[in-house]
Amino acid sequence: MTATERITITLLWAIGALVFVVLYGPAFMVVLLSFFDINREGIDWGSFGFQWYARLGDNPQMLAALGNTLLVGACAVVLATALALGLAYYMKTGVRRGRAFLEFVIFLPFVLPAIITGISLLIAFREVGLERSLVTVTIGHVVLILAIIYRMVMIRLESLEDSQIEASLDLGANGWQTFLHVVLPQLRSALVTSGLLAFTLSFDETLVTFFLVGGDATLPIRLWAMMRVGFTPEVNALVSIVLVVTITLAVLGAMSLKETMARR
Amino acid sequence: MTDLSLAASGAGPMIAGAPSPHRRQLRRIALRLAVYGLPVLLILVPLATFLVYSFWTTVDGQVVQTFTLANYIDFLAKPVYRGVFIGTLWLASIVAATSLIFGYIIAYLVWRLEGRLRYLLLLLSVIPLAMNYIVKIYAMRNILGYNGFLNWLLVHTGILDTPSKLFIFNQTAVMITMAVIYLPYAILPIFLSLERISPSLLAASADLGGRPGQTFRNVVLPLSLPGSIVGALFVMVLALGDYLTPQMVGGNQGFTFGRAIWSQFGMAFNWPFGAALAVVLLLSVVLIILVAAAISRHARVK
């Protein structure tokens, strides 16, 4: 390496370090501030403690929002998994015309800006007379996470030998039995991984949810409402919990993804 | 590939109580309807409804269902909306360019590393993707605000005498926040485009006497840039459609096209006009995606 190259690389590392500070700094600050009281002079450094976390338990609106988020996420993941599994298995077992079309359709919400997906669902729900509620939010989340689950199930299905299915059918099992006893067990890790990732997405989803949400807010929507009022350590505490939960989910997802890929 | 479902139905007679051929036919049609119908019903029909809506109008808050181009003419005729649209395109381009530059630096550094450190740093650069979007806006507001960390730092180091309002509730604040939020979306595609470069090419360049700097300029950069630009265009699409970041850190000055659309569904309650604006957004996004597809196809042929 010449001197110029060495200087360039050092400079790049300096910029890289700065970028990481900028990426993580905001979250780090929020977590830090959640442990202290804030008064007129600024942060009261002597007030370290978990008092703001404790106070969260007394906030029924927030607990309700958390409950809604978990409910929507669980329902959306179950529904989307069932749908994606059916679609992928159908496409896999046979030469299906229209597979490219189907994949194009289910990947659309993934590619289009969230605001477009949100608006089109909002308008469609209004046209059929479906009131905005947790049901419309759940349907929106199903539409959003369908592609991810479908893709991961499909990757696993494609690596499956056709001969296994043929053997099962030759031995007298019907299509349903073959699916249940031969195919499904081998899809377990792909389902767990995609379920985790899809749940993480649903847990965070805000831009589509905003158009579909009725009286019952999900956690991001509730957070947004609280954020407009101002910054309190209570919000910081909630934000810290949300951060820890989503990062844990994502790391779990990434770990099981690695495992899923390794087992192929 | 053989048609396994046909094979399955062929095996049917072996099972006691198998359905008659007629019922089997019916069941197959029902299955096909469900497979193609459900995604169409959930995704395509709403999109079509929204497209149709953009050709309707409202009179006294009531939707009038007659075909008209009035919304589109309105958009083209009102300099306010045109201005916001062009301003937002510009903003999203800057965010995309920033993500390309800093994303490339991070991806390049990660790519050069080996072993555990490489995966650790890669993981560190994608974890922010899992951080809640609202949380990130909130944190950025905390930092950029009048009483925020940035002002505290600048005042304490003596660069400023009093806190500045320059960093919040304007277009710059929107740009900075979007760049921070969307940067991780660029890092991964850029890293993948670097990963696709064959190690033998790097070895060949070194064998021919190329210094690291020359190899980077003549081999790595030309091969990875098209894929990286596709990653940046992806960020541009995200930035174009965002309506909450501008609202939360942009204040009155940070009005973007996404906010214009959102306000038609909120305060203004003119859904057909909002839908028309969203169609304009959709068309720009499709155009960007086509450009991205052309770039990545061009890169692959090489």
Side-chain angles (χ1 to χ4, degrees), chain A residues 179-203:
Chain A
F179 174 73
L180 212 61
H181 298 295
V182 179
V183 179
L184 198 59
Q186 304 194 57
L187 290 178
R188 198 176 296 144
S189 68
L191 288 176
V192 170
T193 308
S194 58
L196 268 173
L197 290 179
F199 187 82
T200 314
L201 274 188
S202 162
F203 193 86

Side-chain angles (χ1 to χ4, degrees), chain A:
Chain A
M1 258 197 252
T2 63
T4 344
E5 280 160 7
R6 211 164 296 146
I7 291 168
T8 314
I9 289 295
T10 315
L11 204 65
L12 285 182
W13 271 111
I15 297 173
L18 200 67
V19 170
F20 273 110
V21 169
V22 172
L23 281 183
Y24 281 90
F28 179 74
M29 290 248 319
V30 171
V31 175
L32 183 76
L33 291 180
S34 69
F35 294 108
F36 298 98
D37 291 343
I38 294 174
N39 52 36
R40 216 162 285 164
E41 289 100 65
I43 302 159
D44 178 6
W45 293 106
S47 61
F48 179 84
F50 290 89
Q51 62 275 28
W52 295 104
Y53 289 87
R55 205 172 290 191
L56 277 180
D58 309 327
N59 191 330
Q61 279 180 313
M62 207 130 61
L63 292 179
L66 178 67
N68 291 340
T69 304
L70 297 177
L71 184 69
V72 165
C75 292
V77 166
V78 169
L79 288 172
T81 302
L83 194 53
L85 201 57
L87 294 180
Y89 189 60
Y90 183 81
M91 286 300 150
K92 162 79 179 167
T93 53
V95 187
R96 306 291 187 201
R97 264 172 297 151
R99 175 168 167 185
F101 169 74
L102 180 99
E103 292 185 349
F104 170 76
V105 171
I106 62 177
F107 278 107
L108 266 180
F110 208 64
V111 185
L112 294 179
I115 191 170
I116 306 252
T117 311
I119 288 173
S120 50
L121 285 171
L122 171 65
I123 291 178
F125 286 142
R126 175 149 118 167
E127 284 302 301
V128 296
L130 197 58
E131 284 287 317
R132 280 185 259 188
S133 65
L134 287 184
V135 175
T136 52
V137 173
T138 308
I139 298 175
H141 285 203
V142 168
V143 164
L144 278 174
I145 62 183
L146 186 62
I148 296 182
I149 304 180
Y150 175 85
R151 188 83 207 107
M152 292 181 82
V153 169
M154 205 48 167
I155 289 176
R156 188 72 193 91
L157 273 179
E158 305 250 85
S159 70
L160 217 70
E161 300 278 339
D162 279 347
S163 57
Q164 289 187 15
I165 301 174
E166 282 160 10
S168 162
L169 296 170
D170 282 348
L171 290 169
N174 63 25
W176 179 241
Q177 288 168 325
T178 304
F179 174 73
L180 212 61
H181 298 295
V182 179
V183 179
L184 198 59
Q186 304 194 57
L187 290 178
R188 198 176 296 144
S189 68
L191 288 176
V192 170
T193 308
S194 58
L196 268 173
L197 290 179
F199 187 82
T200 314
L201 274 188
S202 162
F203 193 86
D204 269 356
E205 165 49 44
T206 318
L207 288 171
V208 171
T209 310
F210 237 109
F211 283 95
L212 306 177
V213 78
D216 301 311
T218 61
L219 204 56
I221 307 294
R222 183 88 209 110
L223 258 179
W224 179 80
M226 289 171 70
M227 200 169 108
R228 288 163 68 95
V229 182
F231 305 102
T232 62
E234 199 178 357
V235 178
N236 287 334
L238 177 62
V239 161
S240 308
I241 293 175
V242 171
L243 268 179
V244 170
V245 171
T246 44
I247 291 176
T248 311
L249 278 174
V251 170
L252 278 178
M255 271 159 52
S256 73
L257 181 71
K258 207 173 155 193
E259 215 171 282
T260 310
M261 292 305 177
R263 217 181 288 171
R264 276 179 64 188

